[in-house]
């Protein structure tokens, strides 16, 4: 893989902006922006890395009113190296904040399950902050359909 | 696992076979095929997997036209099974006009149907099974991919019991499921009690405790080989079909669960791991790329029929068609806990040349006998080819849409893009049996609603994304919703929200106005409490009044960008 050049990034960014301008309602944009803002605030200036966080959600929700969510973070959970906080955000909900989980070394493992409501098809983010201040993130897309006739 | 190198060698061997002695190619255009031709197979190795899927309760021979349009998007664009017609024939080196061309494509379908006759019939299937079992004693495993208990008059009237009797009589070894679940929780549990073989679905969990509902794995020993069969039910059953009928069961692809089950099977000593799947072909191809340790995926749901095994990441994918039209035979050489070699044949069940097994013929007569008068009741006649399968409106769908609009006095009709439903040739009478083959579901009520132009567009976009999302894990595997009274343009390669355009009301020729409301009739709503007459009665009434139908292929759906 070649690293993206500045030019490619700008090009992709411009393309995305055009698409967003046409297809996505303004409110959704605001939610997506709000989500990114909340992630940045949570990270507190630390670089946001990929990996270590696993988000277990269905690809397509059976019922948008109650969608199961499992999150786990790979960590020794020792006194010197553990997961402190995990936030869950949904960028298409009126309020992106879903849940915050706090852990200590006594938690044994950094994992949690819950259920959430999803207003429509959207991205769900799980962001974990480690005891050394490093931050890891993953995201998944959950589709919420209105009609179905598979068969 | 097979290495890529092993597979290349196997592929070369297969290619040689194709060129030289491929059994069915012997049947040149119009040439007579015999039962022996259909059974011809040079045996290999110590295990024979026999696979059938998506029978849709078809007990007796029918016609079934394969799709002329089957578009793949994203990584699978233009790859099998997303090729049709002449391109399909060229890709697999099949002679035009041969029995294989008839079975696998829609090219010259009407003419070839007259030459080669009907396909399927469980008594013919039984004959093939018995012959192969005799030849490969102690080495065969017969697996059913599901969509077995639904799709006919007798399956609906007996609540699936007819098919349970038949599949028991055929000595099935294991099954998985999809439409089976549309009989509801209680009935499914009753029927599973009647089964003399395993019902496997590792991807179903109860909504309360998140615990497995069904067995995931069944182990067998055949030809000295320990085989694990893992069942994967249709992942989107509660979305594509009514969730209220199975409220305590939650589905999903659950890729990690599949990997866990594969690992467990291997740890327990399985030398061959088979996924008996109702995921749909593209989902299974992606799954094969991401889950390790599966030797064979017997695919289903999307009704694809491929004359070769497709290799993905060391896993063989088999596509055995639908409606009892094909039996797959996959011979495997498993030694020292590894799959070394394979040979595969998709056997078309050409009903006219296979001697029916009298024992199963008698069982079918016992099942259909009490309903004979109704099954054979003639409602009308068709002057044109009537079929459903394909990404967009088939002619039988247009007939149903016409009936919906006429009987419910609606401007627009919506009819589900199911992939099942037998074909009728021009000149054939249309019986009650035929109508149920297209409509036999447990939630048949035809609603009449007002919908805004905007909602209509949203529905079309939503269904189109279920079919054309570039990520197979987000596809549900049905075809596009069928539309009557309205035309539209679709660009499958665009993202959701941008695929559908130029929606037009056919009665006036005016564009659909997002703000206006339209009267819409439709069936197969997944919502509880849908009001209206059952679709099979409505279509029957319409046919009795019309007497003769003649449906030209639909040209109101314009496909762009392909």
């Amino acid at each position: 893989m070649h690293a993206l050049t500045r030019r490619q990034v700008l090009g992709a960014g411009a393309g995305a902006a055009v698409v967003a301008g046409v297809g996505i309602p303004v409110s959704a944009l605001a939610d997506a922006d709000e989500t990114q803002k909340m992630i940045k605030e949570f990270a507190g200036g630390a670089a946001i890395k990929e990996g270590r966080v696993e988000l277990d959600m269905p690809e397509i929700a059976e019922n948008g009113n109650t969608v199961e969510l499992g999150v786990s973070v790979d960590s020794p959970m020792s006194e010197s190296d553990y997961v402190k906080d995990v936030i869950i955000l949904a960028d298409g909900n009126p309020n992106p904040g879903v849940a915050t989980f706090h852990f200590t070394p006594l938690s044994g493992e950094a994992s949690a399950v819950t259920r959430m409501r999803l207003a429509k098809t959207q991205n769900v983010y799980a962001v974990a902050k480690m005891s050394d201040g490093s931050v890891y993130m993953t995201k998944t897309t959950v589709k919420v359909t209105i009609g179905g006739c598979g068969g | 696992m097979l290495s890529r190198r092993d597979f290349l060698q196997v592929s070369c061997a297969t290619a040689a076979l194709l060129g030289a002695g491929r059994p069915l190619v012997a049947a040149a255009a119009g040439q007579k095929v015999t039962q022996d031709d259909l059974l011809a197979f040079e045996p290999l190795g110590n295990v024979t997997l026999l696979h059938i899927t998506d029978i849709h309760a078809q007990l007796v021979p029918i016609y079934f036209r394969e799709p002329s349009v089957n578009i793949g998007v994203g990584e699978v664009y233009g790859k099998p099974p997303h090729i049709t017609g002449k391109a399909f024939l060229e890709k697999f080196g099949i002679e035009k006009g041969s029995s294989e061309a008839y079975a696998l494509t829609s090219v010259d379908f009407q003419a070839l149907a007259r030459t080669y006759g009907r396909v399927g019939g469980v008594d013919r299937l039984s004959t093939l099974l018995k012959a192969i079992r005799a030849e490969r004693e102690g080495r065969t495993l017969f697996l059913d991919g599901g969509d077995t208990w639904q799709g006919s008059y007798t399956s609906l009237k007996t609540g699936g019991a007819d098919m349970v009797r038949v599949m028991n009589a055929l000595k099935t070894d294991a099954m998985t499921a999809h439409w089976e679940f549309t009989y509801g929780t209680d009935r499914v549990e009753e029927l599973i009690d009647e089964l003399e073989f395993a019902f496997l679905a590792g991807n179903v969990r109860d909504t309360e405790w998140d615990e497995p509902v069904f067995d995931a794995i069944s182990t067998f020993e055949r030809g000295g080989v320990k085989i694990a069969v893992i069942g994967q039910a249709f992942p989107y059953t509660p979305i594509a079909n009514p969730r209220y009928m199975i409220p305590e069961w939650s589905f999903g692809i659950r890729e990690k669960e599949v990997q866990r089950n594969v690992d467990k099977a291997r740890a327990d000593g399985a030398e061959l791991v088979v996924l008996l799947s109702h995921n749909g072909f593209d989902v299974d191809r992606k799954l094969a790329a991401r889950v390790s340790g599966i030797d064979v995926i017997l695919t289903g749901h999307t009704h694809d029929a491929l004359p070769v095994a497709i290799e993905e990441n060391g896993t063989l994918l088999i596509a055995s068609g639908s409606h009892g039209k094909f039996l797959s035979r996959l011979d495997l050489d498993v030694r020292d806990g590894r799959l070394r070699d394979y040979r595969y044949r998709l056997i078309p069940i050409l009903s006219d040349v296979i001697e029916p097994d009298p024992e199963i013929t008698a069982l079918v007569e016992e099942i259909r006998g009490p309903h004979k008068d109704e099954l054979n009741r003639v409602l009308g006649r068709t002057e044109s080819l009537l079929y459903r399968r394909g990404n967009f409106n088939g002619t039988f769908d247009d007939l149903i849409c016409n009936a919906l609009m006429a009987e419910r006095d609606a401007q627009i009709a919506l009819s589900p893009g199911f992939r099942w439903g037998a074909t009728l040739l021009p000149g054939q009478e249309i019986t009650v049996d035929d109508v149920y083959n297209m409509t036999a579901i447990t939630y048949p009520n035809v609603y009449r609603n007002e919908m805004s132009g905007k909602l209509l567009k949203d529905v079309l976009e939503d269904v189109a994304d279920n079919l054309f999302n570039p990520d197979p894990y987000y596809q549900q595997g049905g075809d596009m919703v069928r539309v009557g009274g309205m035309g539209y343009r679709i660009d499958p390669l665009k993202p959701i929200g941008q695929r559908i355009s130029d929606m037009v009301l056919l009665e006036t020729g005016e564009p659909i106005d997002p703000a206006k409301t339209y009267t819409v009739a439709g069936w197969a709503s997944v919502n509880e409490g849908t009001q209206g007459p059952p679709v099979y009665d409505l279509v029957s009434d319409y046919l009795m009044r019309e007497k003769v139908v003649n449906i030209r292929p639909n040209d109101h759906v314009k496909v762009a960008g392909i």
Side-chain angles (χ1 to χ4, degrees), chain A residues 19 22-23 54-56 58-63 68 115 121 140-151, chain B residues 178-179 207 236 238-240 243 250-251 253 256 301 416-420 458-459 462 465-466 473-474 476 478:
Chain A
V19 171
V22 176
E54 264 198 50
L55 195 52
D56 201 5
E59 287 80 7
I60 309 180
E62 291 176 1
N63 176 3
E68 58 271 37
R115 286 169 185 272
T121 300
T140 188
T141 305
V142 181
K143 199 163 128 177
V144 179
T145 66
I146 50 172
C149 34
Chain B
H178 165 204
W179 275 91
T207 53
Y236 296 125
I239 301 163
R243 186 160 51 90
S250 176
F251 294 62
I253 297 170
K256 286 173 196 156
H301 183 56
F418 296 144
R419 296 193 173 201
W420 46 268
D458 288 347
V459 167
D462 204 69
D465 196 62
N466 289 336
Y473 278 13
Y474 292 89
Q476 287 178 25

Side-chain angles (χ1 to χ4, degrees), chain B residues 162-185:
Chain B
D162 60 337
M163 295 309 294
V164 169
R165 289 179 70 189
V166 168
M167 297 315 283
N168 280 342
L170 293 177
K171 299 191 169 32
T172 311
D173 289 301
M175 75 178 291
T176 191
H178 165 204
W179 275 91
E180 284 73 10
F181 296 110
T182 62
Y183 290 109
T185 310

Side-chain angles (χ1 to χ4, degrees), chain A residues 18-44:
Chain A
V18 171
V19 171
V22 176
I24 302 176
V26 177
S27 62
L29 265 184
D31 297 336
D33 283 352
E34 177 68 15
T35 304
Q36 295 309 319
K37 210 176 103 197
M38 288 170 77
I39 292 169
K40 275 203 190 103
E41 277 171 16
F42 177 78

Side-chain angles (χ1 to χ4, degrees), chain B residues 246-556:
Chain B
I246 42 167
E248 296 99 23
W249 295 343
S250 176
F251 294 62
I253 297 170
R254 300 184 191 268
E255 185 187 273
K256 286 173 196 156
E257 188 74 25
V258 176
Q259 183 70 68
R260 272 195 292 275
N261 282 325
V262 172
D263 294 345
K264 184 175 180 298
R266 291 276 176 203
D268 289 346
E271 297 164 276
L272 180 75
V273 174
V274 177
L275 186 72
L276 179 60
S277 170
H278 207 94
N279 275 336
F281 193 89
D282 292 345
V283 175
D284 277 326
R285 193 199 309 252
K286 180 174 172 184
L287 190 82
R290 292 165 59 91
V291 171
S292 60
I294 305 176
D295 296 304
V296 179
I297 302 184
L298 301 171
T299 74
H301 183 56
T302 38
H303 292 193
D304 305 298
L306 293 176
V308 298
I310 302 287
E311 181 238 333
E312 180 71 48
N313 186 32
T315 301
L316 294 171
L317 292 125
I318 301 297
S320 306
S322 63
H323 295 79
K325 185 176 172 182
F326 299 97
L327 171 66
S328 274
R329 171 174 176 176
L330 178 64
D331 277 19
L332 301 166
D333 183 16
V334 185
R335 269 176 291 147
D336 310 321
R338 266 189 62 207
L339 175 57
R340 307 277 170 165
D341 199 358
Y342 76 92
R343 188 166 291 139
Y344 174 64
R345 185 165 177 206
L346 178 70
I347 306 171
I349 300 182
L350 299 172
S351 318
D352 291 354
V353 304
I354 301 171
E355 189 69 33
D357 175 358
E359 186 195 327
I360 303 294
T361 308
L363 176 58
V364 170
E365 275 169 15
E366 198 183 315
I367 290 165
R368 285 170 61 90
H371 306 283
K372 210 169 194 169
D373 290 348
E374 190 63 1
L375 286 169
N376 295 335
R377 184 157 66 89
V378 175
L379 301 165
R381 190 170 55 82
T382 179
E383 288 183 347
S384 58
L385 185 71
L386 295 180
Y387 64 92
R388 173 176 287 152
R389 185 68 225 284
N391 284 160
F392 307 103
N393 282 44
T395 46
F396 213 124
D397 300 304
D398 286 335
L399 167 62
I400 292 172
C401 284
N402 291 347
L404 295 173
M405 289 186 290
E407 301 292 310
R408 301 241 59 189
D409 188 26
Q411 294 170 290
I412 293 167
L414 297 178
S415 186
F418 296 144
R419 296 193 173 201
W420 46 268
T423 302
L424 295 180
L425 299 182
Q428 266 190 275
E429 287 176 331
I430 308 172
T431 63
V432 170
D433 200 9
D434 299 322
V435 169
Y436 275 77
N437 279 346
M438 279 285 167
T439 57
I441 66 172
T442 54
Y443 47 106
N445 304 74
V446 178
Y447 61 81
R448 182 181 189 276
N449 282 341
E450 288 199 332
M451 287 190 192
S452 67
K454 181 183 180 306
L455 181 59
L456 280 165
K457 157 104 158 95
D458 288 347
V459 167
L460 292 190
E461 288 283 359
D462 204 69
V463 180
D465 196 62
N466 289 336
L467 179 57
F468 297 123
N469 191 301
D471 183 343
Y473 278 13
Y474 292 89
Q475 297 171 4
Q476 287 178 25
D479 279 314
M480 188 63 187
V481 60
R482 284 34 179 155
V483 179
M486 189 175 83
Y488 67 93
R489 189 183 120 112
I490 179 164
D491 197 335
L493 303 185
K494 290 248 173 88
I496 188 167
Q498 297 172 39
R499 291 192 182 97
I500 307 295
S501 60
D502 300 348
M503 288 163 62
V504 59
L505 188 68
L506 296 180
E507 73 179 2
T508 62
E510 285 172 14
I512 296 287
D513 181 344
K516 262 196 186 164
T517 59
Y518 301 87
T519 51
V520 180
W523 63 288
S525 167
V526 297
N527 299 322
E528 195 165 8
T530 300
Q531 301 290 318
V535 62
Y536 28 78
D537 290 350
L538 182 147
V539 173
S540 296
D541 290 347
Y542 176 79
L543 283 169
M544 282 191 286
R545 247 198 319 283
E546 292 288 312
K547 292 185 182 69
V548 179
V549 294
N550 189 341
I551 313 270
R552 289 183 308 113
N554 188 305
D555 57 2
H556 301 299

